Amino acid sequence: MYKRRSSRTVSVGDVKIGGDAPITVQSMLNAKTVDVEKCIKQIEELRAVGCDLIRIAVPDEQSCAAFGEIAARTGLPLIADVHYSYKLAHSALDNGAKKIRMNPGNMRDFGEIKSLAARLIDLNVPVRVGVNGGSLDPKYKGMDEARALCESALECANAFESQGMRDIVIAIKASDTQVNIAANRMLAAACDYPLHIGVTEAGTLRTGLIKSAIGIGTLLSEGIGDTIRVSLSADVKEEVLAGKKILQTLGIRKDAVEVVACPTCSRTEIDVSGLAERIEELTAGINAPIKISVLGCPLNGIGEGENSDIGIAGGKEKSVVMLNGKPYCTVENAQLMPTFEKLLRAKIQEYYKNEVK
Amino acid sequence: MYKRRSSRTVSVGDVKIGGDAPITVQSMLNAKTVDVEKCIKQIEELRAVGCDLIRIAVPDEQSCAAFGEIAARTGLPLIADVHYSYKLAHSALDNGAKKIRMNPGNMRDFGEIKSLAARLIDLNVPVRVGVNGGSLDPKYKGMDEARALCESALECANAFESQGMRDIVIAIKASDTQVNIAANRMLAAACDYPLHIGVTEAGTLRTGLIKSAIGIGTLLSEGIGDTIRVSLSADVKEEVLAGKKILQTLGIRKDAVEVVACPTCSRTEIDVSGLAERIEELTAGINAPIKISVLGCPLNGIGEGENSDIGIAGGKEKSVVMLNGKPYCTVENAQLMPTFEKLLRAKIQEYYKNEVK
């Protein structure tokens, strides 16, 4: 059912965006760029949960130098967000940036694109033209917002393209999910650039997850989107976990652990949400399509766990642990997690063994 | 753009589902039904955050009696979930249930529908035929899952309809979001019953919000869905807040406060997520279309807050408070929340005054 829009492919170091490349999940550090140690720690945390690409704000020359140190120490292809400054774009390239993000709303003058494009082509580094509802070029004000965002992005991309540059990614982000969807549909139809999709200022964890799931999810389900970022006012790891979960829910990403949990009702005798949260933490970094059910129902739990690889149908003192959709053993609740973890390890081994074959 | 599927209207006490009635948000208690005091407390919490309809599990006669006491004391139209028991359905009606939910997967025999339907018609009480992926009638196994869920639901609804009953709601829930969407699309095309939409066993707060936003959101955006439940293994209030947020994000519900917050970056000097969380809590029960921005950027905050009714562009020691999209005053950060709350109260008053006019 899922048919992806065709787009050209660009490379950020060894990570590809667009074309047939898997849809990447990215995030942006929120540590101060000059705090190199903190940035490196955040990068490690992001990598541990499966972040494909990382962006770092480069608001000044000092941050550029820090960016260079971070890039050198981590060896990762990093994206420098220079906002509107050509000068900082050149400095970021001096410091090993593998992609440059610029915001045409603040750039105002495209005159310096010529020399920047020449250098980007030379270095084989792509640019992301990132338009944002909150910082739209004033000359587009008054126009329908979705159209304005789309035209501003295309104008800037065309300015790079007219200098012979091909490696361009576009992002349009609005905080209104419906405007965001409309603008990206328009953009997708108008060009073959790979698209970076996200909802900006999406808000707190709860609000942001819902706005991003709908905003990003709607576009992805229509085949639009080559790299995604979930923007949250929360721990950066949450952005990556959410991005991966959106891809998984849409059936686009198939190598992830899925934890289903019942919503609990008056029949529930065990702490379903606590168990499910622990299992999600335990499995966050595992890339294997294992389906886990956490069910608090002695009545329906066995039937509801039928499609799972490993399941728990929890009772008051004892719980049934299920394997391959069938009851495997009944254990005292104190033994529940140790038993579960043993089965999980075996499942993961089984998966990787079959993968290698 | 949003065009709702046409459906018949049924009444749960004074709350309407289907037709032109607003899409309702419902939840289900997870306290033990026999713990009447705890149930009433949960009901009050749900009502405070705007829950339109509340369902209670009635697994036995003792719970039926408790249901009756809760219904009498709260005066609310409550839904009794009797799963598959005709006997409990009749007892729940004796105890004032305003809607009965039954699961055809467990009912097996439709023979007793005749007398139940006669009584439901007499009392003007609707039934919800609630099919669940985990407890599908065994005779449908082997069939394509989405089609099986749809056919099982329609078979049971037809059994009620053939007894002259008109007030029928259908729900199909699967834990696989894509199956859920496919089954509900099929169902929506095949009947004019109002539909209850939700993703079952959606999981922990984070996973459940994403699966529900995509699963429920996709259907709603196609005009499918008359009442929704977000199933979460979390505090029941979260289900209602999430349901309202999904409706708001899709532009279906317009009378809600929207808090946008920037994802923060290395330029951020204030606790954006903390402020945004506090403001969301403060405004959870307010039904007024007020847009609030919480931005941590001294550089872009003013521009990004341009579309908000009240905004914060936070700096290290002082922050700009914005009103109607323009800077209103600059305050020490200690005065930020008091100043904000004053403006919020004024905005709410202004809204209600204009509404009354």
Side-chain angles (χ1 to χ4, degrees), chain A residues 122-147:
Chain A
D122 193 43
L123 292 168
N124 202 19
V125 168
V127 68
R128 193 245 290 186
V129 173
V131 173
N132 201 301
S135 55
L136 182 68
D137 187 332
K139 79 178 176 196
Y140 290 101
K141 300 229 165 147
M143 199 185 282
D144 164 71
E145 194 183 350
R147 180 159 299 282

Short mmCIF file of all heavy atoms in Angstrom, two decimals, chain A residues 122-147:
data_model
loop_
_atom_site.label_atom_id
_atom_site.label_comp_id
_atom_site.label_asym_id
_atom_site.label_seq_id
_atom_site.Cartn_x
_atom_site.Cartn_y
_atom_site.Cartn_z
N ASP A 122 32.10 21.39 -4.41
CA ASP A 122 33.48 20.93 -4.34
C ASP A 122 33.66 19.89 -3.23
O ASP A 122 34.33 18.88 -3.39
CB ASP A 122 34.36 22.16 -4.08
CG ASP A 122 35.82 21.86 -4.30
OD1 ASP A 122 36.11 21.18 -5.31
OD2 ASP A 122 36.65 22.28 -3.47
N LEU A 123 33.03 20.15 -2.09
CA LEU A 123 33.19 19.27 -0.92
C LEU A 123 32.19 18.11 -0.91
O LEU A 123 32.23 17.26 -0.04
CB LEU A 123 33.00 20.08 0.38
CG LEU A 123 34.08 21.11 0.70
CD1 LEU A 123 33.61 22.02 1.85
CD2 LEU A 123 35.39 20.42 1.07
N ASN A 124 31.25 18.14 -1.87
CA ASN A 124 30.19 17.11 -1.91
C ASN A 124 29.33 17.14 -0.64
O ASN A 124 28.93 16.11 -0.11
CB ASN A 124 30.83 15.73 -2.10
CG ASN A 124 29.86 14.72 -2.67
OD1 ASN A 124 28.83 15.11 -3.24
ND2 ASN A 124 30.14 13.44 -2.48
N VAL A 125 29.05 18.34 -0.16
CA VAL A 125 28.23 18.54 1.04
C VAL A 125 26.88 19.13 0.64
O VAL A 125 26.83 20.12 -0.08
CB VAL A 125 28.95 19.47 2.05
CG1 VAL A 125 28.00 19.92 3.16
CG2 VAL A 125 30.18 18.78 2.64
N PRO A 126 25.79 18.52 1.07
CA PRO A 126 24.47 19.05 0.73
C PRO A 126 24.05 20.21 1.63
O PRO A 126 24.59 20.41 2.71
CB PRO A 126 23.54 17.86 0.94
CG PRO A 126 24.22 17.01 1.96
CD PRO A 126 25.70 17.26 1.83
N VAL A 127 23.08 20.96 1.13
CA VAL A 127 22.49 22.02 1.94
C VAL A 127 21.04 21.63 2.22
O VAL A 127 20.38 21.01 1.39
CB VAL A 127 22.56 23.39 1.21
CG1 VAL A 127 21.64 23.43 -0.03
CG2 VAL A 127 22.17 24.53 2.14
N ARG A 128 20.57 21.95 3.42
CA ARG A 128 19.14 21.83 3.68
C ARG A 128 18.56 23.23 3.75
O ARG A 128 18.96 24.04 4.59
CB ARG A 128 18.86 21.10 4.99
CG ARG A 128 17.38 20.68 5.11
CD ARG A 128 16.59 21.35 6.22
NE ARG A 128 16.99 20.90 7.53
CZ ARG A 128 16.35 21.26 8.64
NH1 ARG A 128 15.30 22.05 8.59
NH2 ARG A 128 16.80 20.87 9.81
N VAL A 129 17.63 23.50 2.86
CA VAL A 129 16.89 24.75 2.90
C VAL A 129 15.74 24.52 3.87
O VAL A 129 14.83 23.75 3.59
CB VAL A 129 16.36 25.11 1.49
CG1 VAL A 129 15.46 26.32 1.55
CG2 VAL A 129 17.53 25.33 0.52
N GLY A 130 15.84 25.15 5.04
CA GLY A 130 14.86 24.88 6.09
C GLY A 130 14.00 26.09 6.36
O GLY A 130 14.43 27.04 7.01
N VAL A 131 12.79 26.06 5.84
CA VAL A 131 11.87 27.18 6.03
C VAL A 131 11.02 26.91 7.26
O VAL A 131 10.64 25.77 7.52
CB VAL A 131 10.98 27.34 4.78
CG1 VAL A 131 9.90 28.38 5.02
CG2 VAL A 131 11.84 27.72 3.59
N ASN A 132 10.72 27.96 7.97
CA ASN A 132 10.03 27.83 9.25
C ASN A 132 8.90 28.85 9.32
O ASN A 132 9.12 30.03 9.02
CB ASN A 132 11.08 28.09 10.34
CG ASN A 132 10.64 27.52 11.65
OD1 ASN A 132 9.58 27.90 12.15
ND2 ASN A 132 11.40 26.60 12.20
N GLY A 133 7.72 28.39 9.71
CA GLY A 133 6.56 29.29 9.79
C GLY A 133 6.82 30.55 10.60
O GLY A 133 6.35 31.63 10.26
N GLY A 134 7.61 30.41 11.65
CA GLY A 134 7.84 31.54 12.55
C GLY A 134 8.84 32.55 12.02
O GLY A 134 8.97 33.65 12.57
N SER A 135 9.58 32.21 10.98
CA SER A 135 10.60 33.14 10.48
C SER A 135 10.53 33.24 8.96
O SER A 135 11.53 33.24 8.27
CB SER A 135 12.00 32.66 10.91
OG SER A 135 12.22 31.32 10.49
N LEU A 136 9.31 33.31 8.46
CA LEU A 136 9.08 33.39 7.01
C LEU A 136 9.60 34.72 6.46
O LEU A 136 9.45 35.76 7.10
CB LEU A 136 7.57 33.26 6.75
CG LEU A 136 7.12 33.28 5.29
CD1 LEU A 136 7.59 32.03 4.56
CD2 LEU A 136 5.59 33.36 5.23
N ASP A 137 10.22 34.66 5.29
CA ASP A 137 10.66 35.87 4.60
C ASP A 137 9.49 36.85 4.51
O ASP A 137 8.43 36.52 3.97
CB ASP A 137 11.12 35.45 3.19
CG ASP A 137 11.77 36.59 2.42
OD1 ASP A 137 11.42 37.77 2.69
OD2 ASP A 137 12.60 36.31 1.54
N PRO A 138 9.68 38.08 5.02
CA PRO A 138 8.55 39.04 5.08
C PRO A 138 7.88 39.27 3.73
O PRO A 138 6.69 39.56 3.67
CB PRO A 138 9.21 40.33 5.59
CG PRO A 138 10.46 39.89 6.27
CD PRO A 138 10.91 38.63 5.59
N LYS A 139 8.62 39.10 2.64
CA LYS A 139 8.00 39.38 1.34
C LYS A 139 6.87 38.41 0.99
O LYS A 139 6.07 38.68 0.10
CB LYS A 139 9.05 39.45 0.23
CG LYS A 139 9.53 38.12 -0.29
CD LYS A 139 10.53 38.35 -1.43
CE LYS A 139 11.10 37.03 -1.90
NZ LYS A 139 12.30 37.15 -2.71
N TYR A 140 6.81 37.27 1.71
CA TYR A 140 5.74 36.30 1.44
C TYR A 140 4.54 36.48 2.36
O TYR A 140 3.56 35.75 2.27
CB TYR A 140 6.28 34.87 1.57
CG TYR A 140 7.22 34.49 0.45
CD1 TYR A 140 8.59 34.49 0.63
CD2 TYR A 140 6.71 34.15 -0.80
CE1 TYR A 140 9.45 34.15 -0.41
CE2 TYR A 140 7.56 33.81 -1.85
CZ TYR A 140 8.93 33.81 -1.64
OH TYR A 140 9.76 33.48 -2.66
N LYS A 141 4.63 37.42 3.27
CA LYS A 141 3.50 37.59 4.21
C LYS A 141 2.26 38.08 3.45
O LYS A 141 2.36 38.82 2.48
CB LYS A 141 3.89 38.56 5.33
CG LYS A 141 5.10 38.04 6.11
CD LYS A 141 4.94 38.05 7.61
CE LYS A 141 6.04 37.18 8.21
NZ LYS A 141 6.52 37.64 9.50
N GLY A 142 1.12 37.62 3.94
CA GLY A 142 -0.13 38.00 3.28
C GLY A 142 -0.62 36.90 2.35
O GLY A 142 -1.81 36.74 2.13
N MET A 143 0.35 36.13 1.80
CA MET A 143 0.00 34.99 0.95
C MET A 143 -0.58 33.87 1.83
O MET A 143 -0.33 33.84 3.03
CB MET A 143 1.29 34.50 0.27
CG MET A 143 1.08 33.64 -0.97
SD MET A 143 2.68 33.00 -1.58
CE MET A 143 3.35 34.44 -2.42
N ASP A 144 -1.34 32.96 1.24
CA ASP A 144 -1.76 31.74 1.95
C ASP A 144 -0.52 31.11 2.58
O ASP A 144 0.50 30.94 1.90
CB ASP A 144 -2.41 30.77 0.94
CG ASP A 144 -2.52 29.36 1.48
OD1 ASP A 144 -3.35 29.16 2.38
OD2 ASP A 144 -1.78 28.46 1.01
N GLU A 145 -0.59 30.77 3.86
CA GLU A 145 0.62 30.39 4.60
C GLU A 145 1.32 29.16 4.00
O GLU A 145 2.56 29.16 3.85
CB GLU A 145 0.30 30.14 6.08
CG GLU A 145 1.57 30.08 6.94
CD GLU A 145 1.29 29.77 8.41
OE1 GLU A 145 0.12 29.78 8.82
OE2 GLU A 145 2.28 29.51 9.13
N ALA A 146 0.54 28.14 3.65
CA ALA A 146 1.16 26.93 3.10
C ALA A 146 1.89 27.26 1.79
O ALA A 146 3.02 26.83 1.56
CB ALA A 146 0.11 25.85 2.88
N ARG A 147 1.23 28.05 0.94
CA ARG A 147 1.84 28.41 -0.34
C ARG A 147 3.10 29.26 -0.13
O ARG A 147 4.12 29.08 -0.79
CB ARG A 147 0.82 29.15 -1.22
CG ARG A 147 1.36 29.59 -2.59
CD ARG A 147 0.26 29.82 -3.61
NE ARG A 147 -0.51 28.63 -3.88
CZ ARG A 147 -0.13 27.62 -4.66
NH1 ARG A 147 1.05 27.65 -5.28
NH2 ARG A 147 -0.91 26.57 -4.84
#
